[in-house]
């Protein structure tokens, strides 16, 4: 999708959400008209964003500019996120049905409490919707057609969404007495960055009873059945469709192994169907292999040198340092004190705040005069804080690869995160050279979100990532796994290359609020998928080792 189309759709969606939320009509119209203006606007939108001339376009006021800039940089916008929170989540999907519109959706919500596509479909089919004023039989038919189309096209979801949904389902299933054990399997257990279907597995004591109880909780279809298990396709009202493998305690791990996959992995390892085993460990013994953790069970595994195949026990327990997060000084939602409280509570031993730099004007980046202000805030807070706070910055990489502060200013910080937030459309050669130059800057400690991809919404920029990794390794710069579930960038496939080159790795959720801190778990999951060991991660350094690291090239004022 082109950037123009992405932004137009965003503004339209926001207008719909605002209208549903009952916001001011003028504001709703401003967003609707803004979308139309951008749709027809001549010239290159990205250029207009980068040279800020978008603000001169008639009808694109301050509020819209803010959304456009934020979206361009992060793939989302604060105001949008807030709207999403205000409107029930099922309604977002209902609003996407063509030809319905916010007014009608609101009416259906009020009259029939329709707050999800599933419910809408059900009430269309049983004739309730056509009884509502303004809905004819014909319009109901159209809605049903649209629902069919949407269901077909919506393929993947973010890992975080799948994890959240499966947690809800597991909670419900755990209440069933005859279910002994239930957990995720399939793509979620293998930690794919995007998920095509939620798959769970449970072992049951008594088949008939369990199925009866499950069918009370969910609509269901049996889709496959053999001697050792049955597979059901089920529908949860608040978590959507999912697959459930139902098996006996004796066959549990066998079915768990099979359903975890991947198919390619098991085929290459050896088909478990013909082997006699009752636990996963037994299976790997049987096929004369070391145990392979579920996350690593991909075709990829067989191409790895032995050193990289080693399994990892990496978990949040190994983490000491929390880096690269934002506060209200730039575009975060919480103050530094609030962030540090939560970071300390989570168990980290030291923290490095890295707000946006001055080029990120849309994110209220720190101009030179505000750096000293933050420095003062930090030293005051350090007097009372449970953990030590270091002062870093996320400094924008400019077009020519230089950072957006002079060396004098960079020297004021303890830590420099560099990243690309603009001019995404350079050639691969230009982009690679630009990033490598930033990595070679002696002040640079971390290269953040190295490809700029946004999962399910935007591909990364064109860049030779291997050359970038080589440069990070050569310059002793840590490459980031950005743990924000929309990013998970660096991709796990490239992490193997980074490990091969002994490049230091860092995992950061790029938290913009206290809620975002726990997203670090998604980064850890991805790191495990690439077999990353604690000693390969900068965040696992003790504070002493960390201080040594930040002084490896330039003397920092500590
Ligand atoms: Zn960033
Ligand atoms: Zn950031």
């Amino acid at each position: 999708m082109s950037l123009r189309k992405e932004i137009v759709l965003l503004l339209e969606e926001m207008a719909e959400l605002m209208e549903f939320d009952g916001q001011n009509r003028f504001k709703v119209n401003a967003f609707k008209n803004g979308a139309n203006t951008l749709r027809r606007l001549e010239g290159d939108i990205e250029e207009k964003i980068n040279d800020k001339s978008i603000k001169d376009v008639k009808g694109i006021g301050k509020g819209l500019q803010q959304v456009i800039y934020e979206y361009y940089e992060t793939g989302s916008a604060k105001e949008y996120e807030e709207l999403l929170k205000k409107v029930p989540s099922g309604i977002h999907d209902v609003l996407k049905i063509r030809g319905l519109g916010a007014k009608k959706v609101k009416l259906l919500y009020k009259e029939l409490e329709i707050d999800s596509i599933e419910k809408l479909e059900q009430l269309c089919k049983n004739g309730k919707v056509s009884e509502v004023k303004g809905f004819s039989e014909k319009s109901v038919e159209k809605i049903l057609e649209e629902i069919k189309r949407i269901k077909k096209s919506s393929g993947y979801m973010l890992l975080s969404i799948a994890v959240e949904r499966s947690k809800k389902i597991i909670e419900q299933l755990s209440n069933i007495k005859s279910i002994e054990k239930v957990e995720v399997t399939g793509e979620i257990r293998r930690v794919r960055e995007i998920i095509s279907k939620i798959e769970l597995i449970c072992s049951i004591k008594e088949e008939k009873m369990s199925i009866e109880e499950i069918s009370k909780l969910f609509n269901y279809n049996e889709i496959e059945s053999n001697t050792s298990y049955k597979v059901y396709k089920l529908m949860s009202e608040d978590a959507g469709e999912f697959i459930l493998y139902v098996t006996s305690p004796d066959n549990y791990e066998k079915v768990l192994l099979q359903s975890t996959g991947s198919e390619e992995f098991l085929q290459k390892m050896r088909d478990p169907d013909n082997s006699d085993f009752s636990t996963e460990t037994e299976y790997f013994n049987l096929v004369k292999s070391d145990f392979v953790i579920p996350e690593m069970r991909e075709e990829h595994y067989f191409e790895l040198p032995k050193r990289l195949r080693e399994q990892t026990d990496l978990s949040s327990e190994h983490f000491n340092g929390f880096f690269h997060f934002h506060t209200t000084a730039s575009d975060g939602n919480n103050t530094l004190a609030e962030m540090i409280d939560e970071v300390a509570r989570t168990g980290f031993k030291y923290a490095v705040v890295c707000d946006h730099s001055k080029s990120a004007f849309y994110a209220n980046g720190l101009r030179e005069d505000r750096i000293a202000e933050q420095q003062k805030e930090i030293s005051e807070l350090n007097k009372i804080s449970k953990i030590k706070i270091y002062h870093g910055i996320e400094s924008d990489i400019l077009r020519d690869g230089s950072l957006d502060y002079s060396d004098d200013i960079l020297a004021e910080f303890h830590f420099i995160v560099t990243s690309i937030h603009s001019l995404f459309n350079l050639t691969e050669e230009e982009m690679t050279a630009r990033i490598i130059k930033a990595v070679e800057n002696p002040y640079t400690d971390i290269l953040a979100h190295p490809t700029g991809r946004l999962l399910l919404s935007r591909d990364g920029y064109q860049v030779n990532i291997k050359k970038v990794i080589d440069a990070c390794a050569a310059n002793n710069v840590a490459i980031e796994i950005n743990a924000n579930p929309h990013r998970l960038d660096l991709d796990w496939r490239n992490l193997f290359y980074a490990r091969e080159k002994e490049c230091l790795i860092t995992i950061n959720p790029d938290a913009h609020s206290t809620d975002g801190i726990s997203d670090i778990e998604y980064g850890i999951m991805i790191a495990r998928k690439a077999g990353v060991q604690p000693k390969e991660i900068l965040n696992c350094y003790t504070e002493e080792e960390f201080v040594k690291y930040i002084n490896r090239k330039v003397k920092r004022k500590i």
Side-chain angles (χ1 to χ4, degrees):
M1 207 188 296
S2 71
L3 180 67
R4 178 192 298 263
K5 196 160 178 209
E6 282 174 36
I7 295 175
V8 166
L9 288 177
L10 174 76
L11 298 182
E12 283 177 343
E13 191 186 343
M14 285 180 73
E16 297 272 321
L17 290 166
M18 286 175 196
E19 204 173 348
F20 183 87
D21 189 41
Q23 293 194 18
N24 178 310
R25 187 164 52 89
F26 295 108
K27 196 170 176 198
V28 173
N29 286 339
F31 272 73
K32 280 188 182 165
N33 296 336
N36 279 331
T37 303
L38 290 186
R39 191 180 273 123
R40 289 189 310 258
L41 188 65
E42 274 175 37
D44 185 59
I45 291 248
E46 184 163 12
E47 241 166 58
K48 289 187 171 36
I49 293 174
N50 281 316
D51 68 13
K52 302 179 199 175
S53 64
I54 195 104
K55 71 176 190 309
D56 305 326
V57 176
K58 203 167 163 273
I60 307 294
K62 273 231 165 93
L64 275 98
Q65 287 164 36
Q66 178 67 25
V67 170
I68 294 168
Y69 287 135
E70 266 184 72
Y71 178 79
Y72 177 60
E73 192 241 326
T74 65
S76 191
K78 243 195 218 172
E79 193 175 355
Y80 174 63
E81 301 287 338
E82 268 154 32
L83 278 167
L84 289 183
K85 275 189 217 149
K86 276 190 192 163
V87 177
S89 66
I91 294 284
H92 310 158
D93 303 331
V94 181
L95 282 169
K96 284 189 187 124
I97 295 178
R98 272 196 301 227
L100 212 46
K103 272 197 202 95
K104 284 189 170 171
V105 174
K106 202 167 175 177
L107 187 64
L108 291 173
Y109 182 65
K110 269 193 177 157
E111 299 279 318
L112 302 171
E113 291 177 15
I114 288 175
D115 58 1
S116 69
I117 291 211
E118 285 76 31
K119 201 153 178 191
L120 177 63
E121 187 177 22
Q122 199 189 343
L123 297 187
C124 276
K125 281 181 178 163
N126 71 12
K128 284 271 182 258
V129 172
S130 56
E131 286 168 14
V132 178
K133 207 177 155 220
F135 288 86
S136 62
E137 299 269 343
K138 201 156 181 198
S139 63
V140 169
E141 243 167 69
K142 264 211 176 124
I143 294 173
L144 284 170
E145 266 169 40
E146 269 294 296
I147 292 176
K148 227 192 224 166
R149 190 187 61 81
I150 287 176
K151 280 198 167 166
K152 243 198 223 156
S153 67
S154 66
Y156 284 90
M157 65 192 107
L158 294 177
L159 174 64
S160 55
I161 304 272
V163 167
E164 287 305 318
R165 289 185 182 172
S166 54
K167 274 186 194 157
K168 278 189 194 164
I169 300 166
I170 288 175
E171 212 181 286
Q172 284 178 291
L173 286 170
S174 309
N175 289 329
I176 298 178
K177 276 212 181 85
S178 52
I179 289 183
E180 271 201 329
K181 199 171 162 185
V182 50
E183 68 186 294
V184 295
T185 184
E187 292 167 1
I188 306 180
R189 187 161 184 251
R190 289 209 318 280
V191 185
R192 299 289 299 198
E193 67 278 22
I194 47 173
I195 302 290
S196 70
K197 53 181 185 261
I198 295 175
E199 290 177 277
L200 301 161
I201 175 170
C202 68
S203 71
I204 53 173
K205 284 180 217 147
E206 199 193 324
E207 190 181 334
K208 206 165 153 273
M209 226 169 80
S210 309
I211 302 303
E212 226 168 67
E213 284 180 282
I214 291 170
S215 69
K216 272 186 217 153
L217 286 175
F218 311 103
N219 282 330
Y220 84 100
N221 274 318
E222 187 180 314
I223 52 175
E224 202 187 321
S225 172
N226 69 27
T227 48
S228 55
Y229 63 88
K230 288 200 164 96
V231 190
Y232 295 91
K233 197 174 191 175
L234 300 160
M235 176 61 89
S236 150
E237 275 214 3
D238 45 342
E241 220 170 63
F242 67 99
I243 305 283
L244 182 66
Y245 291 81
V246 178
T247 182
S248 65
D250 288 349
N251 285 319
Y252 186 80
E253 282 211 26
K254 199 166 182 170
V255 181
L256 178 65
L257 178 92
Q258 270 169 321
S259 57
T260 298
S262 66
E263 246 172 79
E264 296 83 9
F265 175 86
L266 291 175
Q267 258 166 25
K268 284 208 171 149
M269 201 44 107
R270 198 213 283 175
D271 198 341
D273 254 349
N274 314 317
S275 326
D276 195 23
F277 65 93
S278 60
T279 68
E280 288 197 324
T281 310
E282 266 177 46
Y283 166 77
F284 285 107
N285 282 340
L286 205 69
V287 295
K288 299 196 168 52
S289 157
D290 292 332
F291 186 86
V292 182
I293 56 173
E295 297 94 317
M296 290 183 87
R297 294 179 201 163
E298 302 284 351
E299 204 171 7
H300 229 86
Y301 178 81
F302 299 95
E303 294 155 22
L304 298 176
K306 196 154 175 26
R307 179 176 73 84
L308 300 188
R309 285 188 184 187
E310 198 189 324
Q311 55 172 311
T312 176
D313 65 345
L314 182 71
S315 77
S316 53
E317 304 269 293
H318 294 108
F319 278 64
N320 294 314
F322 191 79
F323 317 138
H324 183 191
F325 62 93
H326 301 270
T327 72
T328 44
S330 67
D331 63 344
N333 291 331
N334 291 95
T335 62
L336 180 61
E338 288 165 346
M339 291 300 283
I340 291 297
D341 261 0
E342 183 61 18
V343 168
R345 207 189 57 79
T346 311
F348 293 96
K349 309 280 190 325
Y350 57 95
V352 191
V353 56
C354 301
D355 268 309
H356 284 290
S357 61
K358 64 176 178 184
S359 307
F361 57 92
Y362 48 82
N364 190 26
L366 268 56
R367 299 207 133 273
E368 281 84 349
D369 54 319
R370 291 178 54 221
I371 295 170
E373 219 175 284
Q374 193 175 46
Q375 231 163 26
K376 221 174 129 205
E377 188 187 1
I378 291 172
S379 55
E380 285 304 310
L381 208 53
N382 265 331
K383 289 178 194 158
I384 49 166
S385 166
K386 286 194 198 91
I387 57 172
K388 170 117 183 206
I389 310 156
Y390 294 86
H391 193 193
I393 192 91
E394 180 174 11
S395 178
D396 268 35
I397 302 174
L398 302 177
R399 188 189 180 114
D400 67 355
S402 52
L403 304 186
D404 69 339
Y405 292 117
S406 66
D407 283 0
D408 290 357
I409 300 287
L410 291 172
E412 291 295 315
F413 293 100
H414 300 134
F415 195 74
I416 308 289
V417 176
T418 53
S419 58
I420 299 274
H421 288 126
S422 63
L423 299 159
F424 299 132
N425 58 355
L426 305 184
T427 64
E428 183 181 309
E429 246 179 16
E430 286 170 325
M431 189 59 98
T432 308
R434 177 186 180 191
I435 296 176
I436 289 177
K437 190 172 166 204
V439 166
E440 287 170 345
N441 188 310
Y443 288 96
T444 300
D445 296 298
I446 286 183
L447 173 66
H449 43 78
T451 73
R453 77 166 178 199
L454 294 168
L455 291 166
L456 301 179
S457 75
R458 194 190 300 162
D459 289 340
Y461 32 74
Q462 292 185 53
V463 64
N464 185 326
I465 193 66
K466 287 196 170 159
K467 281 191 185 163
V468 169
I469 291 169
D470 290 343
C472 285
N475 291 281
N476 203 355
V477 163
I479 199 156
E480 183 180 72
I481 303 175
N482 192 291
N484 181 314
H486 290 273
R487 294 191 187 267
L488 302 180
D489 174 18
L490 190 65
D491 186 272
W492 58 270
R493 297 159 190 86
N494 291 320
L495 272 170
F496 287 117
Y497 183 76
R499 296 187 60 214
E500 202 180 312
K501 296 289 155 178
E502 295 183 25
C503 181
L504 190 59
I505 291 159
T506 177
I507 304 178
N508 309 304
D510 201 349
H512 282 69
S513 67
T514 49
D515 290 344
I517 293 169
S518 60
D519 280 344
I520 198 158
E521 290 297 338
Y522 294 107
I524 295 174
M525 287 161 83
I526 288 294
R528 284 175 57 87
K529 186 165 184 62
V532 178
Q533 308 287 330
K535 61 173 190 287
E536 297 171 290
I537 301 176
L538 178 62
N539 310 61
C540 300
Y541 283 16
T542 61
E543 193 171 340
E544 201 181 320
E545 290 166 336
F546 169 76
V547 169
K548 219 163 150 192
Y549 174 77
I550 57 178
N551 282 297
R552 73 205 180 286
K553 289 190 213 169
V554 287
K555 265 256 139 315
R556 250 94 190 214
K557 296 178 191 163
I558 294 175

